[in-house]
Amino acid sequence: MAYGQKVFKVRNGKKTTKFTWRCRYKLPNGDWGSEPGFPTKAAAESWGEKQEAAIEAGTWIDPNLRKTKFGTFARTFMSARKKRGRTVGTRWDNLELHILPRWEHTAMGSITWFDVDTWQQSLPVEDVRRGHCVSLMSTIMTAAADAQMIPVNPLFARRRTRDTSDDESTPKEPKLSRAPRPEDAILLAERLGPVRGLHVLTTAFCGPRWGEGLGLTRERTLLLRREPWGTGEFVCPILRITREIAEYQKRGPDGERLGYVLQEEPTKNDGSTRDVDVPPFLALLLSYHLDDWPYERPFSTSTGKPWRRGNWSRDFRPACDGRDERAKRQGVSFRAEWEPILPGLDMRALRALHDTLQSQIGVKEPLAYEAAGHRRPGIKRHYQKPTPDMRQERLDGLEDAFRTAMASLGMKTLWGRVDLVKPPKEDDHQNIAQTISMDEYRGARRVPSPRSGRHYRSQASG
């Protein structure tokens, strides 16, 4: 039974006649709990009776836990909830740069949605980063509710207020002046050379993410998909995406910086692990590349190591944005001028080009989501599955898009050495077994390098 107890104030080491009331109440383990600071005995006893009623109902929250500082629990949360390396780094960046400076010493039980919503509007960052910060705070508060530190998460399912001032409501300049085209990918690939160029074409026509492309190995490149199709069999080359290369700032259990790492990891989710059908022209180019490339990873540096983003950008950005001519002088070689292809173009935009092409050629939703590595929302993902007809339709559409782009550019070869001869197309897909194999592609004529007699080795560095 809860009861009130007088607590006399002390001044200069001596007890005075002034006092407040402290509540004493039974804890779930049978010990006596204490809560001071009540003005009257009735208020103390009423508060204690409510605590004992909540304890009996199993809904009690320890008042001492409600006083836990947000920063203290956030560090506990980060050490307990393991995520992929790059996700951990991004979370720590948001905590250290934006969240903890405002909320580190705030008691969990005193955080309100009004205060959080007001704070996020004042953050001097882009709106999407504000959303990430609020989302991370909400995730931590939900974990605190699960740990019975607070009764509920006050941030759950709340809609942020957007800043509608003139500066924020003014439309932002688009990163790209227009949407990328297949012609842009081909021109960029031609300019970068066969090794880097193949990475560009694979991203534009198969859609792997940056890390997924780097994570491909020989044993997962140009495998064959085999499925029954009518009275025959559907066979096509695939890229098996199960791993990716991640580059990020590694963090210790308490958020300490341990330096940047570049390492292989599983794909980000189950939807990202997939087999992507490869159109014939790209399968042909990849087969030549694998013949000549001496390293395990098809898309790597000239020494076989995974690309770092900064190193990749040194050649990729000038190829997209253009560069000035550099005259030859002592110790410096001549460098030709490059006209811009599409300023601002990046690998993410090339991945988006693949999905745009899928929409343009009418790829059915089950296959479009699968090829892009996206998890299709809704119940339909359990009912609708890709069929060989859908797969052939996608391959034909991507092949035609590539051929049309080559024709519009007036190009018949890539890198001056590969003559792309279009393989014959069967008229009756249902009655003839389709075998899109490397043997068929090798029937196309290849033009060897005049210097090395090989197809790609002389330009391995791009």
Side-chain angles (χ1 to χ4, degrees):
M1 180 70 178
Y3 65 92
Q5 188 178 64
K6 282 184 179 179
V7 180
F8 287 90
K9 297 183 177 181
V10 176
R11 178 177 297 172
N12 298 327
K14 295 183 180 180
K15 184 170 68 173
T16 66
T17 57
K18 295 182 178 181
F19 60 87
T20 58
W21 290 89
R22 174 172 61 195
C23 174
R24 301 283 283 173
Y25 62 100
K26 273 288 184 68
L27 296 172
N29 61 5
D31 295 338
W32 286 95
S34 177
E35 183 72 16
F38 295 96
T40 65
K41 179 179 181 179
E45 291 177 346
S46 175
W47 186 89
E49 289 169 358
K50 291 179 181 178
Q51 302 308 304
E52 291 180 343
I55 290 171
E56 185 175 353
T59 60
W60 179 71
I61 302 295
D62 188 342
N64 293 323
L65 294 180
R66 289 172 60 97
K67 298 175 184 176
T68 302
K69 306 301 183 187
F70 178 87
T72 301
F73 183 74
R75 290 180 173 85
T76 301
F77 170 86
M78 290 297 294
S79 63
R81 299 294 174 87
K82 304 298 182 184
K83 288 288 186 179
R84 299 165 72 249
R86 188 171 182 83
T87 302
V88 171
T90 301
R91 284 183 165 184
W92 273 115
D93 287 344
N94 287 334
L95 280 169
E96 292 180 346
L97 296 176
H98 308 298
I99 300 175
L100 293 183
R102 167 62 178 84
W103 301 101
E104 179 167 13
H105 303 294
T106 305
M108 298 289 292
S110 64
I111 295 176
T112 67
W113 170 245
F114 178 82
D115 291 337
V116 172
D117 192 35
T118 302
W119 159 76
Q120 65 88 19
Q121 292 180 69
S122 67
L123 287 176
V125 295
E126 64 275 13
D127 189 66
V128 67
R129 177 60 64 89
R130 296 173 186 171
H132 290 165
C133 290
V134 174
S135 176
L136 178 56
M137 277 195 72
S138 181
T139 300
I140 294 173
M141 296 291 286
T142 296
D146 293 341
Q148 295 188 332
M149 302 181 72
I150 53 176
V152 294
N153 171 15
L155 280 57
F156 179 74
R158 301 302 298 267
R159 179 175 295 180
R160 293 185 301 116
T161 302
R162 261 68 170 189
D163 194 336
T164 56
S165 64
D166 291 339
D167 291 341
E168 290 295 329
S169 60
T170 302
K172 303 297 187 296
E173 288 293 330
K175 183 177 180 181
L176 296 173
S177 59
R178 57 172 173 78
R181 308 167 301 157
E183 288 85 349
D184 300 319
I186 293 171
L187 289 173
L188 183 57
E190 175 76 9
R191 176 172 285 180
L192 288 172
V195 178
R196 294 179 181 87
L198 261 179
H199 194 174
V200 166
L201 289 177
T202 301
T203 303
F205 287 91
C206 284
R209 298 176 177 90
W210 166 252
E212 293 171 347
L214 298 182
L216 285 171
T217 61
R218 285 179 174 273
E219 65 180 10
R220 297 196 291 268
T221 304
L222 297 187
L223 302 177
L224 291 182
R225 180 193 300 278
R226 294 183 177 275
E227 296 181 6
W229 191 15
T231 58
E233 185 180 39
F234 174 83
V235 183
C236 77
I238 60 170
L239 303 177
R240 178 155 292 167
I241 297 175
T242 59
R243 310 284 291 179
E244 69 178 43
I245 299 294
E247 180 183 0
Y248 56 89
Q249 172 73 259
K250 191 173 183 180
R251 299 283 190 144
D254 297 323
E256 62 271 24
R257 298 174 185 270
L258 303 179
Y260 278 89
V261 297
L262 185 70
Q263 63 184 23
E264 188 178 74
E265 292 184 349
T267 51
K268 62 187 299 184
N269 52 49
D270 56 352
S272 299
T273 299
R274 63 198 187 278
D275 291 340
V276 182
D277 302 333
V278 182
F281 80 90
L282 187 57
L284 172 66
L285 296 174
L286 287 172
S287 69
Y288 295 160
H289 177 55
L290 292 177
D291 284 346
D292 295 332
W293 190 240
Y295 302 113
E296 174 64 16
R297 298 190 184 280
F299 306 134
S300 57
T301 66
S302 57
T303 60
K305 296 180 179 179
W307 283 102
R308 288 188 178 273
R309 290 178 182 269
N311 292 339
W312 172 264
S313 296
R314 288 177 187 173
D315 288 334
F316 185 81
R317 286 265 50 88
C320 297
D321 304 338
R323 71 183 184 192
D324 296 330
E325 179 181 309
R326 183 178 66 190
K328 182 178 180 180
R329 60 183 186 274
Q330 185 176 2
V332 178
S333 62
F334 171 78
R335 186 182 69 185
E337 178 185 7
W338 279 350
E339 292 291 331
I341 293 176
L342 180 57
L345 181 65
D346 56 20
M347 295 297 279
R348 178 174 292 183
L350 289 171
R351 168 173 156 79
L353 171 60
H354 164 254
D355 210 35
T356 300
L357 288 175
Q358 291 197 127
S359 178
Q360 175 180 302
I361 63 180
V363 177
K364 305 300 187 294
E365 277 199 2
L367 182 55
Y369 276 91
E370 177 193 275
H374 293 151
R375 183 180 175 86
R376 188 183 182 190
I379 193 63
K380 292 297 184 182
R381 73 169 177 266
H382 300 291
Y383 284 86
Q384 297 180 352
K385 306 296 180 184
T387 65
D389 288 287
M390 294 180 189
R391 297 188 185 281
Q392 187 62 53
E393 182 182 27
R394 172 181 173 274
L395 292 175
D396 290 342
L398 292 176
E399 184 76 9
D400 289 343
F402 173 78
R403 302 287 174 181
T404 301
M406 289 285 286
S408 69
L409 294 172
M411 296 173 60
K412 295 183 179 180
T413 65
L414 283 171
W415 312 299
R417 292 177 295 166
V418 181
D419 189 358
L420 295 171
V421 178
K422 188 171 183 179
K425 182 177 180 181
E426 300 291 349
D427 293 329
D428 189 353
H429 294 309
Q430 295 297 327
N431 298 321
I432 300 176
Q434 299 295 302
T435 304
I436 307 174
S437 66
M438 292 304 99
D439 291 339
E440 289 178 340
Y441 298 150
R442 293 180 195 279
R445 180 168 61 88
R446 293 186 285 181
V447 182
S449 165
R451 286 185 290 175
S452 65
R454 309 238 342 140
H455 304 289
Y456 288 161
R457 184 66 55 79
S458 67
Q459 297 185 23
S461 63

